Amino acid sequence: MSRKFCLPKHISAEDFLRDYWQKKPLIIRNGLPEIVGMFEPEDILELAQNEDVTARLLKQFSEDSWTFTPSPLTERDFTELPEKWSVLVQNMEQWSAELGRLWNLFGFIPQWQRDDIMVSYAPAGGSVGKHYDEYDVFLVQGYGQRRWQLGKWCDPSTEFKPNQPIRIFDDMGELVVDEVMNPGDILYIPSRMAHYGVAQSDCLTFSFGLRYPNLSDLMERIQHGFCYQNPEIDLNEFSIPLRLNQSAQPTGKLSETEIQAMKRQLLEKLTSSPQFDRLFRQAVASAVSSRRYEMLVSDEISEPEEVLTALENGAKLLQDNNCKLVYTSNPLCIYANGEWLDELNSVEAEILKRLADGEALALTDLMQLIQQTDERDLAMDLLLDGICNWLDDGWILLN
């Protein structure tokens, strides 16, 4: 890809994050021409019937009559369809490395916010109803045309239609966007903005979804850290009993004053403990680098000699965007799909860091990093073993 981002020339990454991100929608005409021609409707319909795919089939019989069929989908599910229907396939980067590489053109948003790429196929008139999402999304038209209407801001109190298998509503509020998207066009929709897309013809719309972690997930991972302590983090200070001022009261009573005093001490300890800071950093990094869908890994085994030959012939290492590769700094820690890679040497960590930042590394780049090590004779052999493991685990690609 010769360009860095898919933003219009007159909007920089800083402009977008300041003026649009979670504030207002943006239409980017022909912002992602690379996606045109990658897939046709038949490809998605066939993929949706793969037993390993996460997919949904929505049928609309009337304004208030919908059915929802989750995967696994079969050929029988696609017989006797109504006029209006849609099929949605999640985690498309699992099935197309070429599509997954398009995430790099959205690199102005940190990759730890990436959820997945979903595709929606619908014939003319098909939609998934009027709704809102709790995540930001870039909708990219890959085939055909879809009309999009954007309206009011929503929140958790927004009421949905009762007795429906999907979360939809009628009230869009005042429309702020009413446009038809053509192949290659991008529509950015901030989280919690009402939207409604209707296929104008057979069409494929690709959703590049981005989301933040929720507090429940973070607390669960923090609890896991307390139960299965990392030997490098000393949490014994949290095992010391609290100290409270005592006042006369009935023997069976737990007073609100005591509850609030314990809450205060808990929050003070969480904000002042360097050890908890380390645990919290690990919990956040694990949460945001985790994939929502199970990862399928090839049975093929990479051989060091073949990898070296490919590199000598000009191949480069790239991150596989089916993997979430994230790092924290000071010290440098690498996470892949929710796992802290705590046994990396400095060269391996630096390679994965640069791949996570979207770089493509050639053999000369690897050799330059090896020159920084003391055991240069062994370094390439060991590094090739690590690269083979990363290839087999689906973290990187050899392009």
Side-chain angles (χ1 to χ4, degrees):
M1 299 177 189
S2 58
R3 59 201 179 106
K4 188 174 182 181
F5 300 137
C6 61
L7 293 169
K9 291 182 179 180
H10 65 282
I11 297 179
S12 67
E14 293 75 16
D15 294 335
F16 177 84
L17 295 173
R18 183 190 64 237
D19 300 333
Y20 294 91
W21 179 250
Q22 298 199 326
K23 296 183 180 71
K24 60 182 179 180
L26 175 66
I27 295 174
I28 309 172
R29 295 293 183 185
N30 201 35
L32 206 64
E34 294 88 345
I35 205 169
V36 179
M38 273 193 185
F39 298 91
E40 294 188 354
E42 293 75 14
D43 303 323
I44 302 306
L45 292 175
E46 180 180 350
L47 183 60
Q49 297 172 50
N50 184 314
E51 62 180 10
D52 294 320
V53 163
T54 302
R56 294 166 286 165
L57 176 62
L58 295 175
K59 301 177 184 178
Q60 182 183 2
F61 298 92
S62 70
E63 197 67 26
D64 293 312
S65 179
W66 298 71
T67 64
F68 168 87
T69 306
S71 55
L73 300 175
T74 65
E75 186 176 354
R76 184 177 179 180
D77 294 311
F78 292 89
T79 60
E80 299 182 5
L81 292 168
E83 181 183 356
K84 298 179 180 180
W85 59 279
S86 297
V87 63
L88 298 87
V89 178
Q90 302 284 163
N91 194 28
M92 282 295 296
E93 54 269 74
Q94 172 81 75
W95 307 103
S96 171
E98 183 183 13
L99 178 65
R101 281 197 288 273
L102 296 185
W103 266 124
N104 295 340
L105 293 174
F106 297 92
F108 48 93
I109 306 293
Q111 72 158 290
W112 63 260
Q113 294 176 36
R114 295 176 189 170
D115 192 11
D116 74 325
I117 304 173
M118 181 189 76
V119 63
S120 171
Y121 164 73
S127 84
V128 296
K130 301 169 183 175
H131 66 286
Y132 79 92
D133 299 308
E134 287 286 359
Y135 54 87
D136 295 76
V137 65
F138 291 89
L139 298 172
V140 185
Q141 197 63 25
Y143 183 96
Q145 295 179 313
R146 193 183 292 261
R147 178 187 178 188
W148 285 100
Q149 294 178 321
L150 277 59
K152 66 180 182 181
W153 291 99
C154 304
D155 60 44
S157 67
T158 300
E159 294 186 3
F160 295 97
K161 284 186 176 184
N163 305 317
Q164 297 296 329
I166 54 176
R167 303 198 315 165
I168 55 175
F169 47 66
D170 289 323
D171 181 18
M172 287 283 291
E174 182 180 354
L175 295 183
V176 296
V177 169
D178 189 350
E179 296 282 348
V180 173
M181 298 291 110
N182 299 307
D185 289 348
I186 301 174
L187 172 61
Y188 164 67
I189 303 179
S191 63
R192 296 190 174 181
M193 176 169 266
H195 52 282
Y196 180 43
V198 180
Q200 305 299 286
S201 59
D202 274 17
C203 80
L204 298 176
T205 304
F206 293 82
S207 303
F208 290 72
L210 300 131
R211 71 169 73 219
Y212 292 110
N214 60 61
L215 293 178
S216 176
D217 189 14
L218 292 182
M219 288 190 288
E220 182 179 336
R221 292 174 187 274
I222 291 169
Q223 176 64 24
H224 184 273
F226 274 104
C227 294
Y228 303 94
Q229 290 187 16
N230 182 328
E232 297 182 9
I233 301 178
D234 183 5
L235 296 173
N236 288 328
E237 60 185 302
F238 289 88
S239 300
I240 301 173
L242 301 175
R243 298 179 66 85
L244 301 174
N245 294 325
Q246 194 66 54
S247 59
Q249 63 186 40
T251 186
K253 182 179 182 179
L254 172 62
S255 73
E256 187 63 24
T257 300
E258 291 166 330
I259 292 172
Q260 292 304 316
M262 285 187 264
K263 176 183 175 182
R264 216 163 28 247
Q265 290 191 41
L266 171 63
L267 296 178
E268 288 172 357
K269 175 59 72 174
L270 295 183
T271 57
S272 64
S273 168
Q275 297 296 331
F276 181 77
D277 279 351
R278 296 179 66 187
L279 174 62
F280 185 71
R281 185 179 298 109
Q282 287 186 6
V284 171
S286 174
V288 302
S289 63
S290 294
R291 303 174 78 260
R292 208 150 55 99
Y293 302 97
E294 182 179 355
M295 186 171 182
L296 301 178
V297 179
S298 171
D299 293 332
E300 294 183 12
I301 298 177
S302 302
E303 297 293 342
E305 297 80 7
E306 295 177 0
V307 171
L308 179 59
T309 299
L311 290 169
E312 290 173 339
N313 290 332
K316 294 184 178 182
L317 298 180
L318 300 168
Q319 177 187 347
D320 186 338
N321 283 329
N322 184 41
C323 167
K324 295 187 73 173
L325 201 56
V326 171
Y327 64 86
T328 59
S329 52
N330 299 321
L332 176 62
C333 295
I334 310 293
Y335 293 78
N337 295 337
E339 177 187 356
W340 176 32
L341 310 182
D342 58 342
E343 297 182 354
L344 299 175
N345 60 45
S346 59
V347 174
E348 292 172 330
E350 182 63 23
I351 289 172
L352 289 177
K353 172 181 178 294
R354 291 173 63 175
L355 295 178
D357 282 335
E359 292 188 45
L361 301 183
L363 181 60
T364 52
D365 300 309
L366 303 182
M367 295 299 296
Q368 187 175 15
L369 288 170
I370 288 175
Q371 293 303 312
Q372 303 170 8
T373 68
D374 295 328
E375 301 180 64
R376 296 177 186 175
D377 293 337
L378 298 176
M380 178 52 79
D381 289 339
L382 293 174
L383 182 56
L384 285 171
D385 288 338
I387 289 173
C388 286
N389 290 333
W390 304 341
L391 288 166
D392 296 341
D393 289 337
W395 299 347
I396 66 172
L397 297 171
L398 191 60
N399 185 24

